[in-house]
């Protein structure tokens, strides 16, 4: 059982006295000067025990090997000019964690679908924490008719003795349904609750979580659907004071609540389906065209062969009947050869289709089956795609080869693979379907959060309340109820491998029922982002720029708030933002990584005050930039009077960031009163550099120059900082 002993001491001597602008050195009394310091001293002992290597004995494997023990004993003193504290802490933790391979706690129902009969993980911990504090404040008080300054005990500092338990399980009920649960409790051992002769302590804090995830495997090539739900119940017992018959009585009551959330995501694989369909149409068209060309060539050769046979028959002196018999025999042989060839092609086609089905089913089961171990991405590590006929590269990794024509490819990942037709094949139906596949996969999500809270209750609510079921208790039992709903929709258009776009829509409505009930709504649409990659190839700047990306975005949002189920909202906020107006990311001269962006946002807030309207307008402009450069190399020097060379591996990293912001806010109120709320700018430059001499020695320089201007108050602040640091690992 390893034990670690430590001692930490720190001393800080301020220049000025506490809560004063007087110098500390001006203090005459030595005792007062010594008190005007920040000093801390800590003694600690840590210990831990666990088995590193699994034993072969089944009993030891599931008892001692699954167990770990740790603890800490600490004595700390902290002295400040106006306060001093000392604590003595004893803390110990016992852990018992069980884990089983998924295939050992489940059985197969059919194919890749399994049913779990026991949790795969079960973790437990018990923590004992005993803290004995002592705190005092340096105060001036009236004692025995005269004022004195002395250390007086601080009110409300009490010793604590807590016992915390935590248990959680992870249970794969089926291959697509996973269940999690957790229970955490805290008991105050200072408040004795006896069971026989054992002090269990008073239960003061309870938290329980339940979670359920559903990730089906069927129809994933057409529709990708996931759903999850979770609920949390927490309850804390607090001490309240009430007056009974003119006397103050202490009583413990519970505050708590439940939080239930549900989320569902669905993605229509339209781009993937249409892309595959276009690829299949092109493949069939090419195969059909190739067969037609072969038949034309074969008919042409057949005509030539017939003419040669007639000439040969004449030379051999065969009669017309013998020639016909001979031609018929050759025709029958040719038909039989064609039948055998067609039969072989059909067999090969069936074998290939069966192989692809088995491969797809295998990977699909491996990816979504929680019992199947670690999932390996089939497109990783140089996976060779049989369907596309070549190495499958990423979106911007160069042209993708295909066995059905140069340039035929798919690109895109999660949004779906848009079909790019071969350059030498122009099949109109496949081109139309390919253009439709440029619309990315359409994704939609819905999330609901339902909360219920209560205070000062004597009894715990029923289990239905604990898992978040609405209307499970009387409305008078609750202090507040919340119901939040959010719906999002996402898609986009992939115009080409270099030009991409994303389109989002979101709608949120939140309702809160309490003494001050309110409702909030928010709509964001359009939310568009347009990206252009590798544009340096278009403008002939590939020698100076690489891995470039230009992007722009526009968002429009409308927010409203007021009473629940309003007819007219109390407050409306309408805003739009170009985030960014233009943004650039790339590498200059293959060495300097660059990020630049300029954004702007405007919003108007209107508040209905019944007899007049308050209008607030906000304007923000921001320019951000960052340049970074890294260099790594090796060099060394020769020791004088020797031939020994000492090598030093060095690494230099430097960066320069800047930001410029412009803010302007104004308000128009009653009778057209106009007022500027904020009118200012901020500009800042932050350079930095670090140098790695070797793995044990590092150094660096940091600096900041910042200027803030407030035109409304005709004021400003200018700040300059510089820092030098060195790190040496001994």
């Amino acid at each position: 059982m390893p034990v670690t002993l430590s001692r930490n001491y720190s001393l800080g001597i301020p220049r000025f006295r506490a809560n004063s602008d007087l110098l500390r050195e001006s203090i005459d009394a030595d005792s007062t000067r010594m008190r005007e310091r920040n000093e801390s001293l800590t003694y600690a002992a840590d210990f831990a025990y666990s088995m590193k290597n699994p034993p072969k004995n089944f009993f030891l494997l599931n008892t001692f090997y699954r167990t770990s023990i740790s603890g800490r004993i600490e004595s700390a003193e902290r002295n400040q000019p106006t306060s001093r504290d000392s604590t003595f802490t004893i803390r110990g933790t016992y852990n018992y964690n069980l884990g089983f391979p998924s295939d050992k706690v489940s059985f197969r129902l059919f194919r890749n679908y399994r049913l779990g009969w026991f949790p795969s993980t079960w973790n437990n911990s018990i923590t004992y924490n005993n803290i004995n504090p002592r705190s005092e404040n340096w105060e001036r008080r009236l004692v025995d008719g005269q004022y004195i300054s002395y250390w007086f005990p601080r009110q409300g500092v009490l010793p604590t003795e807590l016992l915390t338990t935590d248990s959680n399980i992870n249970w794969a009920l089926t291959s697509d349904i996973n269940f999690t649960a957790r229970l955490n409790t805290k008991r105050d051992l200072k408040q004795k609750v006896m069971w026989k002769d054992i002090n269990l302590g008073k239960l003061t804090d309870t938290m329980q979580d339940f979670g359920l995830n559903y990730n089906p495997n069927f129809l994933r090539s057409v529709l990708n659907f996931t759903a999850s739900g979770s609920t949390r119940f927490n309850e804390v017992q607090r001490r309240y004071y009430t007056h009974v018959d003119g006397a103050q009585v202490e009583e413990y009551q519970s505050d708590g609540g439940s939080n239930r959330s549900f989320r569902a995501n669905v993605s229509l694989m339209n781009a993937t389906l249409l892309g595959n369909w276009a690829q299949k149409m092109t493949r069939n068209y090419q195969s059909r065209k190739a067969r037609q060309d072969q038949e034309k060539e074969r008919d042409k050769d057949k005509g030539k062969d017939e003419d040669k046979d007639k000439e040969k028959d004449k030379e051999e002196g065969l009669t017309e009947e013998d020639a016909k018999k001979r031609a018929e025999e050759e025709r029958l042989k040719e038909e039989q050869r064609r039948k055998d060839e067609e039969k072989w092609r059909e067999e090969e086609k069936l074998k290939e289709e069966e192989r692809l089905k088995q491969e797809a089913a295998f990977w699909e089961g491996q990816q979504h089956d929680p019992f199947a171990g670690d999932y390996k991405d089939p497109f990783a590590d140089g996976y060779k795609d049989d369907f596309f006929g070549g190495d499958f590269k990423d979106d911007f990794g160069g042209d993708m080869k295909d066995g059905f024509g140069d340039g035929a490819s798919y690109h895109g990942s999660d949004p779906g693979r848009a079909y790019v037709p071969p350059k030498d094949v122009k099949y109109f139906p496949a081109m139309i379907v390919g253009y439709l596949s440029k619309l990315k996969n359409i994704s939609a999500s819905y999330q609901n959060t339902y909360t219920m809270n209560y205070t000062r209750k004597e009894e715990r609510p029923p289990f239905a309340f604990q898992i978040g079921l609405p209307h499970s208790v009387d409305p008078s039992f609750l202090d507040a109820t919340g119901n939040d709903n959010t719906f999002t929709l996402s898609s986009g258009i992939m115009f080409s491998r270099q030009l991409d776009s994303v389109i989002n829509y979101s709608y949120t409505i939140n309702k809160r029922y309490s003494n001050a009930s309110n409702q909030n709504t928010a709509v964001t649409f359009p939310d568009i982002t347009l990206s252009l990659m590798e544009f340096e190839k278009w403008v002939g700047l590939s020698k100076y720029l690489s891995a470039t990306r230009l992007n722009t975005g526009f968002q429009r949002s409308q927010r409203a708030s007021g009473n629940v189920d309003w007819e007219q909202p109390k407050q409306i906020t309408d805003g739009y933002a170009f985030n960014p107006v233009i943004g650039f990311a790339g590498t200059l001269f293959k060495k300097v990584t660059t990020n630049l962006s300029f954004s702007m946002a405007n919003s108007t807030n209107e508040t209905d005050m019944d007899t007049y309207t308050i209008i607030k307008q906000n304007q923000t402009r921001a320019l951000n930039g960052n340049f970074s450069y890294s260099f790594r190399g090796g060099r060394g020097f020769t020791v004088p009077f020797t031939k020994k060379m000492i090598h030093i591996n060095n690494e230099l990293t430097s960066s320069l960031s800047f930001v410029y912001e412009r803010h302007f806010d104004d308000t128009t109120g009653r009778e057209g009163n106009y007022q500027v709320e904020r009118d200012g700018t901020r500009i800042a430059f932050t350079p930095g550099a670090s140098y790695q001499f070797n793995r044990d020695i590092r150094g660096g320089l940091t600096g900041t120059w910042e200027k803030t201007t407030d035109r409304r108050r005709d004021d400003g602040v200018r700040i300059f900082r510089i820092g030098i640091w060195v790190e040496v690992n001994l």
Side-chain angles (χ1 to χ4, degrees):
M1 179 181 293
V3 178
T4 302
L5 303 178
S6 63
R7 179 186 183 274
N8 295 320
Y9 176 76
S10 66
L11 175 63
I13 301 177
R15 184 181 180 187
F16 297 95
R17 298 188 62 177
N19 304 322
S20 174
D21 57 356
L22 299 178
L23 291 174
R24 176 180 176 274
E25 296 298 330
S26 63
I27 303 175
D28 295 330
D30 293 338
S31 60
T32 305
R33 192 184 305 112
M34 290 295 294
R35 183 174 55 81
E36 292 287 338
R37 303 192 308 174
N38 298 317
E39 187 178 15
S40 67
L41 177 63
T42 303
Y43 292 94
D46 296 273
F47 66 92
Y49 165 79
S50 64
M51 294 182 66
K52 295 182 178 180
N53 299 320
K56 296 182 179 180
N57 185 277
F58 179 80
F59 176 77
L60 296 178
L61 178 65
N62 291 283
T63 52
F64 291 98
Y65 179 68
R66 307 291 184 181
T67 298
S68 63
I69 301 174
S70 62
R72 179 181 177 88
I73 301 175
E74 177 185 294
S75 176
E77 294 184 3
R78 298 172 181 87
N79 298 324
Q80 294 180 341
T82 59
S83 64
R84 64 184 185 184
D85 304 274
S86 64
T87 57
F88 182 76
T89 304
I90 299 176
R91 183 173 65 249
T93 301
Y94 171 82
N95 293 291
Y96 180 74
N97 301 325
L98 272 178
F100 304 99
S102 298
D103 57 345
K104 300 297 183 181
V105 291
S106 65
F107 58 87
R108 187 185 302 275
L109 291 180
F110 52 87
R111 205 175 179 182
N112 293 325
Y113 200 81
R114 305 182 69 94
L115 179 66
W117 53 270
F118 195 78
S120 57
T121 60
W122 182 24
N123 301 326
N124 304 272
S125 69
I126 300 176
T127 301
Y128 173 80
N129 196 5
N130 189 345
I131 302 177
N132 292 283
R134 181 182 177 183
S135 300
E136 297 174 332
N137 292 335
W138 181 265
E139 297 177 351
R140 183 177 175 83
R141 293 184 182 181
L142 181 63
V143 179
D144 297 333
Q146 60 180 351
Y147 285 95
I148 63 172
S149 296
Y150 193 70
W151 293 106
F152 293 96
R154 188 183 307 162
Q155 299 295 326
V157 178
L158 301 173
T160 60
E161 189 176 8
L162 297 177
L163 185 67
T164 304
T165 64
D166 188 276
S167 298
N168 64 83
I169 64 170
N170 190 339
W171 191 342
L173 301 177
T174 63
S175 294
D176 49 18
I177 300 177
N178 192 73
F179 172 74
T180 59
R182 181 190 178 195
L183 177 62
N184 182 282
T185 64
K186 291 183 180 179
R187 292 182 173 272
D188 186 0
L189 298 179
K190 293 293 184 181
Q191 304 179 53
K192 294 186 178 181
V193 175
M194 305 303 296
W195 179 72
K196 296 183 178 180
D197 295 332
I198 302 175
N199 179 21
L200 299 179
K202 186 176 182 62
L203 182 63
T204 59
D205 197 339
T206 302
M207 183 182 67
Q208 65 182 26
D209 295 336
F210 295 103
L212 198 64
N213 296 320
Y214 178 55
N215 190 7
N217 298 330
F218 53 86
L219 298 179
R220 299 192 70 89
S221 59
V222 179
L223 200 67
N224 193 346
F225 175 77
T226 60
S228 62
S230 63
T231 177
R232 167 169 289 187
F233 169 75
N234 66 285
E235 185 180 61
V236 179
Q237 286 203 356
R238 291 187 171 90
R239 180 170 53 190
Y240 291 97
Y241 294 96
T242 59
H243 292 275
V244 179
D245 298 332
Q248 193 178 51
V249 178
E250 179 184 280
E251 62 180 1
Y252 284 86
Q253 293 178 321
S254 298
D255 300 347
S258 68
N259 186 322
R260 186 258 298 151
S261 64
F262 169 78
R263 182 179 180 88
N265 303 296
V266 60
S267 296
L268 178 63
M269 314 300 287
N270 53 285
T272 305
L273 291 172
L274 292 174
N276 291 339
W277 188 22
Q279 181 72 20
K280 187 176 181 180
M281 292 172 66
T282 304
R283 182 181 63 180
N284 293 337
Y285 169 74
Q286 290 179 298
S287 299
R288 187 167 60 252
K289 185 178 179 182
R291 286 197 301 268
Q292 291 175 355
D293 293 341
Q294 290 177 0
E295 290 177 357
K296 289 180 180 179
E297 188 68 25
R298 191 162 45 244
D299 293 340
K300 185 177 179 180
D301 295 340
K302 181 179 179 182
K304 293 181 180 179
D305 293 340
E306 288 180 353
D307 294 339
K308 290 181 180 179
D309 291 341
K310 288 181 179 180
E311 293 178 0
K312 185 177 180 181
D313 292 342
K314 290 180 180 179
E315 292 177 358
E316 293 178 356
L318 296 176
T319 61
E320 186 176 352
E321 292 183 1
D322 294 337
K324 288 182 178 180
K325 290 181 180 179
R326 183 174 180 178
E328 182 66 19
E329 291 176 356
E330 292 181 356
R331 187 184 65 79
L332 293 176
K333 290 180 180 179
E334 181 65 20
E335 289 183 358
Q336 185 63 34
R337 186 188 66 80
R338 288 183 181 181
K339 290 181 180 179
D340 294 341
E341 185 178 351
E342 290 293 332
K343 183 178 179 181
W344 178 81
R345 287 180 179 177
E346 290 294 331
E347 291 177 352
E348 290 297 318
K349 184 178 180 180
L350 293 175
K351 289 180 181 179
E352 181 67 13
E353 291 178 353
E354 183 65 23
R355 188 189 67 80
L356 292 175
K357 289 181 180 179
Q358 293 178 356
E359 187 180 69
F362 172 78
W363 287 118
E364 184 176 359
Q366 289 288 322
Q367 183 174 3
H368 307 291
D369 185 4
F371 302 100
D374 295 335
Y375 167 68
K376 182 175 179 59
D377 188 354
F379 296 104
D381 300 330
Y383 170 73
K384 197 168 185 65
D385 194 316
D386 294 331
F387 182 76
F388 300 113
D391 294 335
F392 197 94
K393 300 181 180 179
D394 61 12
D395 295 351
F396 317 112
D399 293 337
M400 300 165 64
K401 299 180 181 180
D402 187 81
F404 304 108
D406 295 337
S409 64
Y410 282 81
H411 58 81
S413 52
D414 293 340
R417 296 173 181 170
Y419 169 74
V420 179
K423 297 179 180 179
D424 57 345
V425 178
K426 294 183 179 180
Y427 185 48
F428 185 73
M431 293 176 62
I432 295 298
V433 177
Y435 288 134
L436 295 177
S437 70
K438 292 181 180 294
L439 178 65
K440 294 182 179 180
N441 293 340
I442 301 173
S443 300
S445 68
Y446 169 74
Q447 181 171 347
N448 171 261
T449 302
Y450 192 83
T451 60
M452 297 179 288
N453 299 302
Y454 62 89
T455 58
R456 304 195 64 171
K457 295 298 183 289
E458 301 289 344
E459 297 180 355
R460 178 174 294 183
F463 184 75
F465 174 89
Q466 298 176 27
I467 61 175
L469 294 181
H471 315 297
S472 54
V473 295
D474 190 86
S476 60
F477 183 85
L478 302 175
D479 293 335
T481 302
N483 190 1
D484 302 341
N485 296 271
T486 301
F487 173 76
T488 61
L489 194 64
S490 177
S491 185
I493 299 176
M494 182 170 286
F495 299 98
S496 66
R497 185 171 294 132
Q498 286 75 32
L499 187 58
D500 189 17
S501 67
V502 177
I503 304 173
N504 296 316
Y505 166 85
S506 68
Y507 173 74
T508 300
I509 178 170
N510 301 331
K511 295 182 179 181
R512 180 175 177 83
Y513 301 90
S514 63
N515 293 333
S517 300
N518 62 81
Q519 174 179 310
N520 299 304
T521 63
V523 178
T524 301
F525 184 80
D527 183 356
I528 302 175
T529 302
L530 190 64
S531 302
L532 176 64
M533 281 71 69
E534 298 180 344
F535 77 92
E536 72 275 7
K537 298 179 180 178
W538 297 9
V539 295
L541 296 176
S542 300
K543 293 183 179 180
Y544 312 102
L545 301 175
S546 61
T548 59
R549 180 187 183 98
L550 285 177
N551 64 297
T552 182
F554 175 76
Q555 299 86 31
R556 174 72 182 273
S557 62
Q558 293 178 321
R559 301 176 182 273
S561 61
N563 298 326
V564 177
D565 300 328
W566 67 58
E567 294 183 0
Q568 185 68 25
K570 191 73 174 177
Q571 190 176 86
I572 299 176
T573 302
D574 191 357
Y576 67 89
F578 290 91
N579 190 19
V581 177
I582 186 67
F584 169 80
T587 303
L588 302 177
F589 308 106
K590 299 182 180 180
K591 295 181 179 180
V592 182
T593 302
T594 308
N595 288 279
L596 300 171
S597 67
F598 172 69
S599 58
M600 57 182 295
N602 290 347
S603 66
T604 301
N605 180 280
E606 297 183 4
T607 304
D608 184 8
M609 305 300 292
D610 295 334
T611 58
Y612 62 96
T613 302
I614 299 177
I615 301 176
K616 295 183 179 180
Q617 293 184 334
N618 303 321
Q619 299 180 16
T620 301
R621 307 290 185 268
L623 177 64
N624 294 273
N626 177 267
F627 300 92
S628 62
Y629 170 76
S630 297
F631 170 78
R632 177 180 297 177
R635 67 176 184 177
F637 60 91
T638 304
V639 179
F641 309 107
T642 68
K643 296 183 179 180
K644 185 177 181 181
M645 184 73 177
I646 297 179
H647 296 277
I648 298 178
N649 294 325
N650 55 81
E651 179 179 351
L652 172 67
T653 302
S654 59
S655 64
L656 173 63
S657 301
F658 68 88
V659 59
Y660 172 78
E661 296 177 348
R662 175 79 167 88
H663 300 278
F664 184 82
D665 303 343
D666 62 72
T667 302
T668 303
R670 178 184 295 180
E671 298 178 355
N673 293 331
Y674 178 79
Q675 181 179 351
V676 176
E677 302 288 345
R678 182 171 61 162
D679 184 7
T681 60
R682 174 179 172 267
I683 183 171
F685 293 91
T686 306
S690 65
Y691 195 82
Q692 179 91 35
F693 296 92
N694 54 39
R695 65 179 184 179
D696 296 324
I697 303 176
R698 296 175 63 222
L701 175 68
T702 59
T704 300
W705 183 89
E706 180 179 349
K707 181 180 180 181
T708 303
T709 303
D710 189 344
R711 293 188 176 91
R712 176 175 172 269
R713 299 180 179 179
D714 194 17
D715 192 8
V717 177
R718 183 179 298 171
I719 300 174
F720 177 73
R721 303 185 186 95
I722 189 170
I724 301 175
W725 58 273
V726 176
E727 180 182 293
V728 180
N729 297 326
L730 301 177

